[in-house]
Amino acid sequence: MKKRRLVMRTTILVILAAAVAYTLYANLTKDNRMKVEVGKQAPDFVLVDMEGKKHKLSDYKGQGVFLNFWGTWCKPCEAEMPYINNQYNHFKDMGVQVLAVNVSESELAVNQFIERKGLDFPNVIDTDGQVQAAYGINPLPATFLIDKNGKVVKYHTGQLTEATVAEYMEKIKP
């Protein structure tokens, strides 16, 4: 009877240890599993903006694209939006485009956010999360700098300052 309990306890401990080890491994290596690599072609996609206009990433070839993933509930996203808007208005005539991808929120929430912040650049909604999955986005905000040839130049996760946004847009200016 005692031997049986010992075997059961040992089996349970081994299973728990394996689960903990796997969880640690998965969390520590998730950054190495980025789906979009710097220097590689950015995955193409088509999303619709708030006015119903389709935006296909490959249509922006020849221009730099500041691709930003965000959510209305994300405080760092909210904080960086005015900086992105200011720099978009400065760089848009120099061949730099901003494409802001909202991660699966309602049109109403996104439109209210855009109006409240007075945003001028295109905002699209990734309703089914396919673009977010293709780019391996986690956490928000996440920004990809894409050059005029459609290649990823840089990936940044976390809140941006206005100086950093300006520096990044300068970097992808054709």
Side-chain angles (χ1 to χ4, degrees):
M1 190 66 118
K2 282 186 179 182
K3 189 172 185 172
R4 194 175 186 193
R5 266 190 292 198
L6 180 64
V7 169
M8 264 318 237
R9 288 179 182 165
T10 304
T11 304
I12 291 170
L13 281 174
V14 168
I15 291 170
L16 285 173
V20 168
Y22 174 76
T23 303
L24 288 172
Y25 171 77
N27 283 326
L28 292 174
T29 61
K30 71 181 176 190
D31 291 336
N32 299 335
R33 292 179 281 146
M34 226 175 77
K35 295 186 179 180
V36 177
E37 294 180 37
V38 172
K40 302 277 184 183
Q41 202 69 22
D44 201 11
F45 61 85
V46 178
L47 292 173
V48 179
D49 69 16
M50 303 292 86
E51 285 82 47
K53 181 182 175 209
K54 286 185 178 181
H55 292 268
K56 184 175 183 181
L57 184 62
S58 57
D59 288 347
Y60 289 101
K61 271 223 166 114
Q63 303 175 67
V65 178
F66 186 93
L67 181 63
N68 180 262
F69 290 83
W70 67 282
T72 61
W73 47 266
C74 166
K75 291 302 176 191
C77 302
E78 185 175 2
E80 71 184 10
M81 283 297 175
Y83 308 145
I84 296 170
N85 199 59
N86 290 343
Q87 296 307 314
Y88 167 73
N89 286 318
H90 178 75
F91 281 93
K92 68 182 177 185
D93 295 329
M94 297 180 218
V96 175
Q97 292 299 318
V98 169
L99 197 53
V101 180
N102 177 273
V103 291
S104 306
E105 292 184 85
S106 72
E107 277 191 45
L108 178 64
V110 173
N111 273 324
Q112 287 176 341
F113 183 90
I114 291 168
E115 284 179 31
R116 194 171 73 245
K117 293 290 177 187
L119 303 178
D120 302 319
F121 51 83
N123 278 271
V124 296
I125 301 175
D126 183 16
T127 52
D128 58 8
Q130 285 189 3
V131 177
Q132 184 180 359
Y135 278 79
I137 302 302
N138 186 29
L140 293 177
T143 303
F144 288 86
L145 303 181
I146 302 168
D147 71 11
K148 64 182 181 176
N149 300 313
K151 292 201 173 158
V152 176
V153 174
K154 182 158 182 63
Y155 169 69
H156 178 92
T157 185
Q159 184 177 332
L160 297 165
T161 64
E162 186 145 14
T164 306
V165 172
E167 175 191 325
Y168 285 176
M169 288 191 182
E170 187 66 43
K171 191 177 207 166
I172 57 173
K173 186 172 76 174

